Amino acid sequence: MTASLTVRVAEAVDVDSLLALVHSAYRGPSGREGWTSEADLIDGPRTTRELLAADVADPTITVLVAGDLVGCAAVTLASGSTTASFGMFAVRPGGQRGGVGSTLLEAAEQTARERGATTLEMCVIDRRTELIAWYERRGYVRSGESRPFPYGEEGVGTPRDDDFRFAVLEKDLRG
């Protein structure tokens, strides 16, 4: 499947389809079909149409789309920074375990390099040990830092517990 998978930069016309993709991968019944779901941890929307449209329009954010919207990811690099952030990583539940995620992650790393980043970092809910292990197998390491979960912020949903933290993982892109 991934041999012919193309990755491109999202456009404004993709926003509604991206919103459906992100929600299908993270939340609700369809999210439970995949192994990366947060459906048992967090209720409510993963993002909003407005936030997603703003990300697609933001020049510091590159939203990548795989194939016919089977996956997406975002790379954010602030001006003057050499550390890019990786996020909004979603693969349609039926397409998980088929290499789409690996292809998207490699494309995100390449995008970050091309934009001048030497490090790619991400925040993963620390309870997501299987997901952290997946990233570690791809060369990411825990930075030793943790960050608070953004309780109450728009577009994060409603966590079922009040003690979530993010583990910060990073990868040196120069190697």
Side-chain angles (χ1 to χ4, degrees), residues 26 46 62 72-76 85-90 120-123:
Y26 282 93
R46 167 61 176 80
T62 304
C72 66
V75 176
T76 304
S85 296
F86 176 76
M88 202 177 58
F89 189 30
L120 187 61
E121 76 168 18
M122 66 184 73
C123 293

Side-chain angles (χ1 to χ4, degrees), residues 61-73:
I61 302 173
T62 304
V63 178
L64 300 172
V65 175
D68 188 21
L69 288 155
V70 295
C72 66

